[in-house]
Amino acid sequence: ESAAETAEAEKEVAAEKEVAAAGGGVEDKYGEDRATEELPVTPWAFSVASGYTLLRDPHHNKGLAFTERERDAHYLRGLLPPGVVSQDLQVKKIMHNLRQYKVPLQRYVAMMDLQERNERLFYKLLIDNVEELLPVVYTPTVGEACQKYGSIFRRPQGLYVSLRDKGKVIDVLRNWPERNIQVIVVTDGERILGLGDLGCQGMGIPVGKLSLYTALGGVRPSACLPITIDVGTNNEQLLNDEFYIGLRQRRATGEEYHELMEEFMDAVKQIYGEKVLIQQFEDFANHNAFDLLAKYSKSHLVFNDDIQGTASVVLAGLLSSLKVVGGTLAEHTYLFLGAGEAGTGIAELIALEISKQTNAPIEECRKKVFLVDSKGLIVSSRKNSLQPFKTSWAHEREPVTTLLDAIKSIRPTVLIGTSGVGRAFTKEVIEAMASFNERPVIFSLSNPTSHSECTAEEAYKWTQGRAVFASGSPFDPVEYDGKIRVPGQGKQCLYFPWIWPWCCDFWSNPRT
Ligand SMILES: NC(=O)C1=CN([C@@H]2O[C@H](COP(=O)(O)OP(=O)(O)OC[C@H]3O[C@@H](n4cnc5c(N)ncnc54)[C@H](OP(=O)(O)O)[C@@H]3O)[C@@H](O)[C@H]2O)C=CC1
Ligand SMILES: CC(=O)C(=O)O
Ligand SMILES: [Mg+2]
């Protein structure tokens, strides 16, 4: 280092000291605002906020709920109006304000603003009003939010790992200010709900799901890390959108895609370890989802929410339905519209459970389950051209191209929509189900609402109120024939409360 460079560096340090000394505001008497830990790579610091900074720190800010004593202790006097408003009253006020918004997206933006401003209040609000706010942070509104993410973007949430970070993904992870991460939800944005490829704007999904890990599962917010892998997008509309926030290129595939994923997965393990982490794959397209799950389940604690999480919740829904419709799981016949991640994931868990209940081989149990994809019923004559995750469902049957014909030929007792195709359960389809089932079970699981295979009202109306109905996105109760029917919701967040305790049990005793 030359003498000139050394002098320059000393000058810089002196200037920094001067700025720090001038600082403004409250003197940092107790060293609260100083870094408490040094990190070798990235120049960020842990600090305990006080005064003005505290009000802008979402993790600790309590807004008007700071008590008189806290205002003294944290140098807040004068920075807040004198009134003290309890957290309960703040919740009441914000709920009142949220209810004024007629446009769901405005509610979403207001909720995200709150999360960025006052995390405690955000979670209190969500926990106390979960039924009302779930459709905002989760489907359906989160879908619209992802579509318009660039336009409504204010402050970044989560961590973005893009193709540009190749070779330095670990440095990207180091930039995240928390070390004690326990749950990661990661997407590459290629299949966001039933809305298709939303590229980098898929970030709303991991952010929303993780807020539910906290609100419903009790995981600390600081232990949750939402991640979006940006390998480009094939969505022309987004590529041409001036507000698009992601890489403006078509999706990387093959080796380039898998190299980035591998670097990311290695970096995650290196930084956060392998024990204290569930890594949830979310809304990947099926041509990657099954392979990623198979590959990384050998080395990481991973699961795929769309394949496995959905299956657990829908199986629970089916078991509950049996209380109404009667019979055992094995006595029913299942037909799916949609043979992708959700469809084949649920199908496999149904077969596994039947096998467990009856001791019959899984191959036999799979014969109770049929799936229709975009080319028609999956049958043995299609076996050579099927994607690997569909082949177990290629039963010996005559080919059928439409859902209606499949229903007529199979006569299922349970119809499940996992196609992402809105209103695919037409009047004829539902009437056909009602013609040979006293209580047809109809689950219309595709999200968001506009992609649901039918509405609750249609399911009840076209079955004269006899359907046992659940959907992926919520529907309001429906009055039919003088009775109020309350549709169920098949949503994965229902298992969030137990997955975390399960993992903790697993880690403390992996043999159980
Ligand atoms: N409620 C919940 O908790 C969940 C809901 N979902 C929803 O399920 C839907 C599907 O997700 P996922 O399984 O991951 O998506 P995939 O892309 O993996 O699967 C979609 C399937 O639907 C089939 N399909 C598409 N169009 C048609 C059509 N016109 N007729 C018949 N079949 C069709 C596809 O056929 P092909 O294979 O021939 O292309 C494919 O088999 C989405 O809307 C998603 O939001 C997903 C997870 C959880
Ligand atoms: C809910 C969900 O995970 C989905 O629709 O993809
Ligand atoms: Mg999903």
Side-chain angles (χ1 to χ4, degrees):
E1 211 172 277
S2 71
E5 278 171 338
T6 312
E8 196 55 43
E10 278 169 3
K11 245 167 76 186
E12 263 180 43
V13 171
E16 273 168 20
K17 277 189 182 153
E18 211 177 301
V19 171
V26 187
E27 183 193 350
D28 181 21
K29 236 192 202 158
Y30 306 105
E32 284 178 324
D33 286 335
R34 275 189 224 124
T36 55
E37 189 167 326
E38 275 181 11
L39 280 161
V41 177
T42 313
W44 52 260
F46 287 112
S47 64
V48 179
S50 66
Y52 190 80
T53 348
L54 176 56
L55 294 180
R56 276 147 193 83
D57 174 355
H59 306 308
H60 301 105
N61 180 28
K62 290 160 74 176
L64 292 176
F66 279 117
T67 62
E68 293 288 340
R69 273 184 65 174
E70 287 170 335
R71 291 174 190 213
D72 280 334
H74 300 298
Y75 310 100
L76 295 170
R77 255 187 206 285
L79 299 181
L80 290 165
V84 175
V85 178
S86 70
Q87 204 185 37
D88 283 338
L89 207 54
Q90 291 190 23
V91 166
K92 187 175 165 192
K93 183 189 74 178
I94 294 186
M95 281 314 293
H96 171 79
N97 290 345
L98 282 177
R99 287 175 186 138
Q100 305 304 307
Y101 293 126
K102 295 290 170 255
V103 178
L105 197 59
Q106 288 176 325
R107 292 185 186 191
Y108 179 87
V109 171
M111 285 294 285
M112 292 304 111
D113 274 355
L114 180 61
Q115 192 176 17
E116 289 298 313
R117 205 170 64 237
N118 187 337
E119 208 173 71
R120 286 162 198 243
L121 191 58
F122 170 82
Y123 286 109
K124 169 114 176 99
L125 199 75
L126 198 50
I127 291 165
D128 289 356
N129 300 276
V130 73
E131 287 287 323
E132 191 171 343
L133 296 180
L134 213 58
V136 180
V137 297
Y138 195 59
T139 182
T141 307
V142 71
E144 189 188 354
C146 289
Q147 287 175 307
K148 299 177 180 162
Y149 211 73
S151 310
I152 61 172
F153 188 88
R154 293 178 189 210
R155 289 174 68 181
Q157 294 172 296
L159 199 61
Y160 294 88
V161 174
S162 88
L163 279 177
R164 285 202 200 131
D165 305 316
K166 234 170 168 187
K168 43 191 180 199
V169 172
I170 197 152
D171 296 337
V172 174
L173 294 188
R174 282 189 180 124
N175 286 343
W176 188 251
E178 303 288 345
R179 277 293 164 277
N180 189 10
I181 296 299
Q182 294 172 327
V183 190
I184 288 178
V185 175
V186 58
T187 187
D188 73 355
E190 191 167 4
R191 195 287 277 142
I192 295 298
L193 307 179
L195 300 168
D197 184 352
L198 297 185
C200 197
Q201 304 199 158
M203 181 56 106
I205 296 291
V207 167
K209 289 242 164 159
L210 280 169
S211 70
L212 299 177
Y213 263 92
T214 297
L216 306 178
V219 183
R220 273 179 299 116
S222 60
C224 298
L225 174 53
I227 297 184
T228 293
I229 307 281
D230 186 353
V231 294
T233 178
N234 295 338
N235 184 326
E236 287 300 331
Q237 207 182 331
L238 288 181
L239 287 172
N240 294 320
D241 179 350
E242 59 179 329
F243 299 127
Y244 181 57
I245 57 168
L247 287 183
R248 251 168 236 278
Q249 64 167 74
R250 298 187 72 77
R251 272 186 184 273
T253 55
E255 227 170 90
E256 198 183 6
Y257 176 86
H258 286 289
E259 274 174 18
L260 184 69
M261 280 307 294
E262 193 149 341
E263 190 185 337
F264 164 68
M265 295 299 284
D266 286 349
V268 158
K269 210 162 155 177
Q270 216 172 314
I271 298 245
Y272 304 117
E274 52 191 55
K275 264 189 149 184
V276 283
L277 178 75
I278 310 169
Q279 196 164 351
Q280 174 173 318
F281 290 120
E282 186 73 54
D283 290 7
F284 284 73
N286 63 38
H287 56 92
N288 287 320
F290 288 95
D291 292 346
L292 290 173
L293 184 61
K295 179 173 176 187
Y296 291 108
S297 55
K298 296 192 186 88
S299 53
H300 292 66
L301 190 59
V302 290
F303 78 101
N304 183 301
D305 197 33
D306 301 300
I307 303 171
Q308 297 166 300
T310 314
S312 65
V313 165
V314 175
L315 179 64
L318 286 171
L319 293 172
S320 302
S321 306
L322 296 185
K323 293 181 191 154
V324 179
V325 301
T328 64
L329 215 50
E331 285 163 355
H332 284 268
T333 307
Y334 307 85
L335 178 64
F336 286 78
L337 182 71
E341 295 166 64
T344 60
I346 303 165
E348 183 67 4
L349 197 62
I350 293 174
L352 275 167
E353 182 59 20
I354 295 177
S355 171
K356 197 172 134 198
Q357 288 182 5
T358 61
N359 285 324
I362 180 90
E363 295 76 19
E364 280 308 303
C365 303
R366 287 193 186 117
K367 291 181 182 159
K368 305 287 305 173
V369 186
F370 300 85
L371 294 102
V372 170
D373 66 9
S374 64
K375 297 184 182 62
L377 186 64
I378 297 183
V379 288
S380 52
S381 58
R382 292 179 54 195
K383 211 158 189 170
N384 290 339
S385 59
L386 289 174
Q387 290 143 289
F389 53 87
K390 292 180 184 170
T391 50
S392 339
W393 309 103
H395 305 316
E396 290 296 336
R397 279 194 93 91
E398 286 303 305
V400 169
T401 45
T402 69
L403 175 64
L404 188 59
D405 287 343
I407 290 176
K408 286 179 184 162
S409 122
I410 292 160
R411 296 173 70 84
T413 52
V414 177
L415 176 66
I416 300 182
T418 50
S419 63
V421 182
R423 303 300 175 273
F425 293 170
T426 57
K427 189 164 186 273
E428 290 70 31
V429 161
I430 291 179
E431 282 179 351
M433 284 296 291
S435 69
F436 50 80
N437 288 298
E438 181 49 35
R439 301 298 307 265
V441 177
I442 299 174
F443 288 179
S444 165
L445 298 178
S446 293
N447 295 317
T449 316
S450 53
H451 290 245
S452 185
E453 282 80 3
C454 67
T455 65
E457 193 177 359
E458 288 165 347
Y460 295 126
K461 195 172 66 189
W462 294 334
T463 59
Q464 300 80 47
R466 289 183 282 129
V468 175
F469 177 79
S471 57
S473 299
F475 284 104
D476 286 337
V478 175
E479 189 181 338
Y480 184 85
D481 209 13
K483 275 198 204 148
I484 303 289
R485 267 123 181 131
V486 182
Q489 195 183 346
K491 50 193 178 209
Q492 303 112 321
C493 57
L494 293 172
Y495 72 76
F496 292 177
W498 60 256
I499 190 153
W500 186 244
W502 181 87
C503 282
C504 295
D505 277 358
F506 175 78
W507 292 317
S508 54
N509 186 6
R511 282 164 199 277
T512 56

